[in-house]
Amino acid sequence: MTLLNKTTTGVAAITAGAAVYINKKRNEEPLRGPWDSSKDANVNYDFVILGGGTAGCVLASRLAEDPKVSILVLEAGYSDNISQSMTPALASQLWGSDKDWNLTTVPQVHAMGRVMHQPRGKLLGGSSSVNAMMYHRGAASDFDEWELLGNPGWSYKDCLHYFKKAEGLNDPRLPVDHPRGPLTKRIRKPQYEEFEPEFHSETGPWQITYHHLFGSSEGFIRASMAEGVPFNKDFNGSSTIGTNRVQTFIQRDAIRSSAARAYLGPGQFLNEDGTPRADRGRVRIVYGANIVRILVQMRRGVKVAVGAEFLDSNREMHTVTAVKEVLLCAGAFGSPHILLASGIGPSPHKSIPHIHTLAGVGRNLQDHLGVPINFLASPDSHTVSRKLSRVPGILYDYNVNRTGSLTTQGAEAVIFIRLEEMAPEFVAREKANGTWQDRASGPSAPHVEILFAPAFIRHHTREKAPDSENYYSLIGLLLNPVSEGTVTISDEVKGGRLETLIDPNYFSDDFDTRVMVECVRYMRKIGERMRLDPACGGVEICPGTDKVPSDDDAKLQDYVKMHSSIYYHPTSTCRMGPASDPLAVVDARLNVYGIDRLRIVDASIAPKLPAAHTCAMSVMIGEKAADMIKEDWKEVPAKL
């Protein structure tokens, strides 16, 4: 999320080139690369994974714990071993690039007709390789609600086991000489780095750490506490309410810990001499593979998924078969797209043979919207510097010490808060009017998140700061939207493929608009507290109280509709639910209803969007799905 100047980002990418090249060579494996018909055409695989994104990487790695298993991963992108992905602060350089699916919404009727960008990672690791690296699971009641909605085995207690199984928390108290001690020269901030050990694990593959913390981020935490927000030492502990810095999925050496790096790195499959490990299954990763459709056959009166068709990097069509299962891991947009393109969905498509009716495919789209306020900071505030004179120091800090602003993941500090605490008069008014809607999963789950970014952030960094002065931003996220949308596909092929039509239907329910207005009012209160803090001292410049007064509801509503952006957490388009749920696409074991040997394993199966950053959720889903798949095939004879 961080916005550095072009010179800094450009030089950082270039100077990291040698390290990236060495890392690429170290990560090269003979089983990764574009489709090679001479080697790949006649190979049989137990599992075919459609999508090498966040959950797909987890699934491939965990299924390969059985040395007898063979797995094919079809990934449309390529390796995430590139400097813009590896270096935390350069993530936004990938948005709008060829490492992004470059998806957009259809014009949003209730948001001034705007077409809104939907950054999603198109490379191994998926969005875990391009996002802001914030590690946040959500409230316990979010997952208890999943179980209450008819999904046994998905309570918080059940999910916590898999959150911990994935996590390799690097205890910030460890000394440098400890095997899991720091590999950087960062300055510790002990008061912001406590955690509750019973909720964490240090043995999982996904590295969770604390890294950079700007002085202005500390000022935000102080201002929040001054406004009455309680300090929370661990957002992934017993409570998620309060203010503090965030935990991040960044390695000990200040490189992004993407799902690809954590679960499919060379140590997972190769010995030190580069030979394959005998205790791991075979995982073939095909890059540049665009999924066309899932292949389904009738066997003894039952529909069975048997494989998939895909276009390789040369746009040639190929067919692959799965001996055991097809595992769809293409995300909240990609998974419904592939199902619909395969003739699996609510109704027949104009140009695709309809093979199975599932009313919920592409329905229930939910996502988090965020509305920004930008502040011109005091000249001596500690924020992201865009001054050319600072470039040498920034590069030295990162390349030599693995410290400094290139190690920031962007939104370093946050508030999670309930509306009763943030805007009690609003809640009372809504209840009196009979318009109150509480979508939170329980009394301990937040309604709103306030992100602090030590830079000028608007519209996915597409809108630039007016000059090279110091800026910071507050961004209010609507965590429990009432509005829901859809994912469909175009009637005609465009650019060689069916287009994904995303309609989140933002602000279709006026309650969402009114909550976002309260976010703006509340952020201004925090902004006033920050103005008095010497580490911040900011003055609001966008939108500005003169242009959008806090007492003018009409102007505030227009502002949130015109300037809110998507915050990268789409879910629920293939939701999990009981057979009695007419819009459920998968059961509690993630099997697609009505089609044997087809499962969906990604954020699309979430019964409801959690009040959280969804990368941790997606990793947890991958971990849990792998165990379920192993259990289901443990006693099944090879009679296929």
Side-chain angles (χ1 to χ4, degrees):
M1 286 178 66
T2 305
L3 179 61
L4 302 171
N5 64 53
K6 289 184 179 180
T7 301
T8 305
T9 55
V11 174
I14 292 170
T15 55
V20 172
Y21 175 77
I22 293 170
N23 193 71
K24 277 185 175 180
K25 299 303 289 183
R26 184 171 57 87
N27 278 274
E28 280 182 357
E29 295 183 39
L31 294 177
R32 299 187 186 202
W35 180 262
D36 184 343
S37 292
S38 67
K39 298 177 181 178
D40 294 322
N42 297 314
V43 180
N44 293 319
Y45 295 94
D46 294 303
F47 300 99
V48 174
I49 298 177
L50 307 182
T54 303
C57 288
V58 178
L59 199 55
S61 180
R62 290 305 191 187
L63 291 177
E65 289 174 342
D66 180 350
K68 299 185 296 295
V69 164
S70 61
I71 300 158
L72 175 67
V73 180
L74 298 178
E75 167 54 41
Y78 291 82
S79 171
D80 74 336
N81 284 316
I82 55 176
S83 60
Q84 296 94 328
S85 178
M86 296 168 68
T87 308
L90 301 187
S92 64
Q93 301 300 306
L94 297 170
W95 305 342
S97 74
D98 61 355
K99 304 301 185 294
D100 181 357
W101 280 98
N102 288 304
L103 300 171
T104 59
T105 68
V106 301
Q108 292 299 282
V109 174
H110 306 286
M112 307 294 191
R114 295 163 57 208
V115 172
M116 302 169 75
H117 294 277
Q118 294 267 10
R120 309 304 297 162
K122 189 181 181 182
L123 67 176
L124 194 65
S127 292
S128 77
S129 297
V130 304
N131 64 13
M133 294 154 279
M134 298 177 72
Y135 180 69
H136 180 237
R137 302 168 181 171
S141 58
D142 284 346
F143 301 98
D144 289 339
E145 186 178 31
W146 285 17
E147 185 166 70
L148 290 172
L149 290 170
N151 301 292
W154 290 88
S155 70
Y156 178 67
K157 180 181 178 181
D158 296 307
C159 293
L160 179 60
H161 168 73
Y162 291 104
F163 281 123
K164 293 173 68 174
K165 183 179 181 180
E167 183 186 30
L169 178 69
N170 289 284
D171 188 335
R173 299 167 297 186
L174 295 176
V176 174
D177 58 355
H178 189 279
R180 294 185 65 88
L183 296 176
T184 73
K185 296 182 180 179
R186 79 177 186 94
I187 298 173
R188 283 201 57 217
K189 301 288 180 78
Q191 66 271 39
Y192 303 117
E193 297 172 5
E194 296 184 56
F195 62 95
E196 299 175 65
E198 63 270 31
F199 291 92
H200 294 276
S201 167
E202 298 180 8
T203 59
W206 198 25
Q207 290 193 42
I208 308 300
T209 55
Y210 298 98
H211 274 284
H212 193 269
L213 190 68
F214 279 99
S216 54
S217 298
E218 296 182 68
F220 168 79
I221 297 169
R222 289 192 294 267
S224 303
M225 295 173 67
E227 190 59 32
V229 181
F231 181 79
N232 185 335
K233 70 177 182 180
D234 186 354
F235 288 128
N236 295 305
S238 55
S239 171
T240 194
I241 300 290
T243 185
N244 197 359
R245 71 181 303 174
V246 296
Q247 295 164 7
T248 63
F249 47 96
I250 300 175
Q251 296 177 171
R252 292 184 298 143
D253 57 0
I255 290 174
R256 174 194 294 268
S257 185
S258 67
R261 200 160 290 114
Y263 284 89
L264 296 177
Q268 297 282 341
F269 294 94
L270 298 179
N271 297 311
E272 289 186 3
D273 62 0
T275 58
R277 285 174 50 177
D279 61 340
R280 299 305 308 265
R282 183 179 191 271
V283 178
R284 167 69 167 113
I285 300 171
V286 176
Y287 291 138
N290 285 280
I291 314 301
V292 175
R293 66 181 178 121
I294 298 166
L295 299 174
V296 177
Q297 293 179 356
M298 289 294 294
R299 294 183 177 178
R300 298 177 183 177
V302 177
K303 297 171 184 174
V304 180
V306 297
E309 288 182 345
F310 72 96
L311 292 170
D312 69 11
S313 55
N314 295 317
R315 305 298 294 173
E316 294 180 1
M317 186 78 78
H318 300 279
T319 299
V320 291
T321 58
V323 175
K324 292 183 176 179
E325 290 191 36
V326 175
L327 305 169
L328 181 54
C329 305
F333 300 139
S335 285
H337 177 117
I338 291 170
L339 289 176
L340 294 167
S342 305
I344 303 168
S347 58
H349 185 272
K350 180 179 178 181
S351 59
I352 299 169
H354 189 70
I355 64 172
H356 187 64
T357 300
L358 272 177
V361 173
R363 306 288 181 88
N364 315 300
L365 172 60
Q366 300 168 34
D367 201 351
H368 292 146
L369 273 177
V371 60
I373 297 183
N374 308 103
F375 297 82
L376 175 63
S378 63
D380 56 351
S381 66
H382 187 209
T383 63
V384 170
S385 175
R386 301 179 70 248
K387 291 180 169 60
L388 292 177
S389 61
R390 292 291 312 282
V391 172
I394 290 171
L395 297 176
Y396 180 86
D397 286 343
Y398 186 71
N399 290 305
V400 176
N401 299 319
R402 291 296 182 185
T403 60
S405 57
L406 285 174
T407 68
T408 182
Q409 94 311 331
E412 296 183 334
V414 302
I415 295 169
F416 288 103
I417 192 169
R418 288 184 61 82
L419 282 167
E420 298 95 318
E421 302 300 322
M422 186 184 91
E425 294 180 359
F426 165 77
V427 174
R429 186 168 64 249
E430 290 287 324
K431 288 182 177 180
N433 293 338
T435 53
W436 168 249
Q437 299 186 64
D438 191 349
R439 290 269 295 175
S441 59
S444 298
H447 295 113
V448 165
E449 177 182 5
I450 308 297
L451 295 165
F452 173 78
F456 187 93
I457 303 293
R458 293 179 75 81
H459 301 298
H460 312 295
T461 73
R462 289 171 183 266
E463 186 175 332
K464 307 302 182 184
D467 50 46
S468 62
E469 298 302 316
N470 292 350
Y471 292 90
Y472 55 79
S473 305
L474 299 181
I475 304 159
L477 267 61
L478 174 67
L479 295 179
N480 312 113
V482 180
S483 305
E484 294 182 353
T486 60
V487 175
T488 56
I489 56 176
S490 58
D491 289 336
E492 306 292 341
V493 173
K494 297 181 179 180
R497 59 173 283 142
L498 293 164
E499 186 180 2
T500 307
L501 303 177
I502 302 168
D503 183 6
N505 207 19
Y506 293 127
F507 298 119
S508 58
D509 193 296
D510 288 339
F511 184 76
D512 290 346
T513 310
R514 297 195 296 275
V515 172
M516 293 292 269
V517 164
E518 295 305 317
C519 285
V520 173
R521 290 185 171 125
Y522 185 73
M523 288 189 291
R524 283 175 165 169
K525 291 182 180 180
I526 300 296
E528 276 301 299
R529 298 279 188 180
M530 295 183 72
R531 184 177 62 82
L532 303 176
D533 192 299
C536 305
V539 177
E540 180 182 328
I541 60 164
C542 291
T545 54
D546 54 336
K547 294 181 180 177
V548 183
S550 289
D551 60 357
D552 191 325
D553 277 357
K555 286 188 176 180
L556 284 167
Q557 291 194 17
D558 285 348
Y559 176 72
V560 301
K561 289 181 177 182
M562 193 66 203
H563 293 282
S564 293
S565 295
I566 295 149
Y567 270 79
Y568 332 124
H569 303 150
T571 69
S572 309
T573 51
C574 299
R575 84 178 181 205
M576 173 173 57
S580 58
D581 178 355
L583 295 182
V585 176
V586 299
D587 64 19
R589 296 188 77 78
L590 308 188
N591 298 295
V592 173
Y593 280 111
I595 302 180
D596 280 8
R597 299 181 186 174
L598 175 61
R599 293 190 214 227
I600 303 176
V601 184
D602 57 35
S604 71
I605 66 92
K608 182 186 170 189
L609 173 65
H613 293 252
T614 52
C615 197
M617 177 200 76
S618 297
V619 169
M620 177 274 291
I621 290 169
E623 288 276 11
K624 184 169 172 59
D627 271 5
M628 292 191 294
I629 292 167
K630 291 176 184 177
E631 291 168 5
D632 289 352
W633 285 96
K634 187 175 182 180
E635 304 299 330
V636 176
K639 59 180 181 179
L640 310 176

